[in-house]
Amino acid sequence: MFVEELSLREFRGVRECAEPLRFSKFNVLVGRNNAGKTTVLEALALLPLPIGDHELPVYGVRRGQFLADMHGGSPSLIYGYSGTAVLRYRIDGNEWVVELTDMGGIELTINGERVTSVEDVGRALDVRADPGLLSKIVNEMVFFIPNDTTALSKLHEALKSEHYRYLVMKSGANVRIARELVNECVDDVYTEVMLDSPELRARKELPDGRVFYIKLRDLGDGVEKAILTTLWLEATKPSLVLWDDFETSTHPSLIRGLLRWLSQRDWQVVLATHSMDVLYGLVEVWPDDAQVLLLCKGAGDVLKARQMGLDELEDLLEAGQDPRYVVELLKL
């Protein structure tokens, strides 16, 4: 699943989009507070099936309810808290439309056909004759990492479940994350994340051969969040990664390590940030097919966006200009 475009109407703090937002494989959203970055991520988090009992993996809650819980109830998802929100996506050349009502109703149409079941998806996408492809589309995973302590606690709690714990261990994520990510960003040497105790620990090796088991929370908030999140990403391998306030509690070296790690996997990425460290890291890592999306809301809460390639971003940084102010300079 590759999301090519997104357009919003009456959703959260956005009344409408001036033009559809166009996505690359690796996207970084930049803009002032309340510019619409989190709104865009939340709209993408409803994919692929916001209807029925389909849940956000690991979090264990339906997509629409997950967002409503973050905002105190379903009506807050609607602009002005009443009416109907319409979200239009172009995904692999197909048009998906989600409608949300202020009474908590959700409807989905694909290529103009209303979808209420998996069979409907197959008919709308004309893949009924290929059960394997239909299953892949329906089960495509979108993994949303909000800047929300409750959501992160759910990711931590899920590792106490025997099913999820063995899913992570079977994938080898607890070993690869320690060696391929954490060791690149800290001065110590860690060999794996231990999942067989109520409190997660990292196995640390000293030069003299001694071994310590360090509680993740003692490694600092940024490292703990990075380990917890990437464990799940590595184990579940989603098709779309959404990460809000990507830089929170994170040292620049870890930011670069995370950007490099994310860019080496086969998924689409949309990050939101306020940080220059992320922009410098983006130029240093230089992911394939990457862009910065500069967002702002104009009069009447109309969301506007400007695409910036890495060449232009690099030129601005080398000239000593702050790309975060380009939105204002261009009067988007």
Side-chain angles (χ1 to χ4, degrees):
M1 179 176 68
F2 188 91
V3 181
E4 301 158 359
E5 293 184 359
L6 168 66
S7 182
L8 307 175
R9 181 165 60 83
E10 302 285 329
F11 181 67
R12 297 274 283 115
V14 173
R15 185 169 60 82
E16 63 179 338
C17 290
E19 294 181 350
L21 279 67
R22 297 175 176 84
F23 297 101
S24 300
K25 182 180 181 183
F26 202 105
N27 307 269
V28 176
L29 309 181
V30 175
R32 284 180 166 184
N33 292 325
N34 198 37
K37 300 184 298 299
T38 299
T39 297
V40 170
L41 293 177
E42 292 179 347
L44 294 171
L46 287 169
L47 296 171
L49 289 180
I51 56 175
D53 294 327
H54 296 276
E55 296 182 341
L56 272 170
V58 184
Y59 293 107
V61 64
R62 294 191 302 276
R63 290 165 173 81
Q65 190 60 50
F66 180 82
L67 300 185
D69 289 345
M70 290 176 59
H71 299 291
S74 174
S76 63
L77 297 179
I78 312 298
Y79 178 81
Y81 307 106
S82 65
T84 301
V86 180
L87 300 83
R88 296 182 181 275
Y89 313 81
R90 181 156 293 277
I91 303 171
D92 296 328
N94 297 288
E95 184 181 55
W96 299 54
V97 180
V98 174
E99 295 188 12
L100 308 170
T101 69
D102 53 13
M103 300 301 292
I106 301 179
E107 290 190 2
L108 170 65
T109 59
I110 301 177
N111 293 332
E113 296 192 36
R114 185 177 178 187
V115 171
T116 61
S117 67
V118 172
E119 290 74 19
D120 290 343
V121 175
R123 184 182 64 254
L125 295 176
D126 195 23
V127 294
R128 287 172 295 178
D130 189 340
L133 178 57
L134 176 57
S135 176
K136 182 179 184 298
I137 293 171
V138 170
N139 293 304
E140 287 276 18
M141 189 178 298
V142 176
F143 209 108
F144 181 32
I145 305 117
N147 184 21
D148 179 80
T149 55
T150 301
L152 288 175
S153 295
K154 288 184 178 181
L155 295 183
H156 192 288
E157 285 297 313
L159 286 171
K160 296 179 181 179
S161 156
E162 183 173 308
H163 168 74
Y164 281 126
R165 184 167 65 248
Y166 282 111
L167 171 66
V168 173
M169 294 175 67
K170 184 176 181 178
S171 73
N174 57 316
V175 174
R176 288 195 299 275
I177 292 304
R179 298 181 180 183
E180 297 176 11
L181 176 63
V182 180
N183 287 347
E184 295 295 318
C185 307
V186 299
D187 296 326
D188 299 317
V189 176
Y190 294 93
T191 59
E192 65 179 301
V193 179
M194 311 300 294
L195 306 176
D196 54 357
S197 63
E199 183 139 27
L200 301 183
R201 298 171 185 264
R203 184 178 185 274
K204 172 182 174 180
E205 291 188 355
L206 299 181
D208 61 8
R210 287 182 296 158
V211 173
F212 289 121
Y213 296 91
I214 311 298
K215 296 176 182 177
L216 287 195
R217 58 185 172 85
D218 290 338
L219 296 177
D221 291 343
V223 174
E224 181 184 19
K225 178 182 176 182
I227 291 176
L228 186 60
T229 302
T230 53
L231 275 178
W232 283 117
L233 293 177
E234 181 75 3
T236 57
K237 294 180 173 55
S239 60
L240 176 59
V241 176
L242 310 170
W243 199 324
D244 200 10
D245 286 335
F246 176 71
E247 74 283 355
T248 303
S249 303
T250 306
H251 187 273
S253 64
L254 182 53
I255 286 174
R256 289 194 299 273
L258 284 168
L259 289 171
R260 184 174 293 107
W261 184 85
L262 287 167
S263 70
Q264 293 169 346
R265 268 64 181 171
D266 185 23
W267 48 36
Q268 189 177 16
V269 175
V270 185
L271 312 175
T273 187
H274 292 284
S275 170
M276 283 291 287
D277 291 324
V278 174
L279 300 180
Y280 278 114
L282 190 63
V283 168
E284 182 176 332
V285 173
W286 207 280
D288 294 335
D289 191 22
Q291 67 169 354
V292 174
L293 272 175
L294 304 168
L295 303 182
C296 79
K297 282 198 297 185
D301 292 328
V302 176
L303 181 63
K304 300 181 180 181
R306 180 193 187 281
Q307 295 172 285
M308 178 184 290
L310 297 192
D311 288 324
E312 185 179 357
L313 174 62
E314 184 179 44
D315 289 343
L316 284 174
L317 295 175
E318 289 181 348
Q321 297 183 35
D322 189 334
R324 295 171 299 181
Y325 290 106
V326 170
V327 174
E328 299 170 39
L329 294 173
L330 296 175
K331 300 185 185 299
L332 286 177

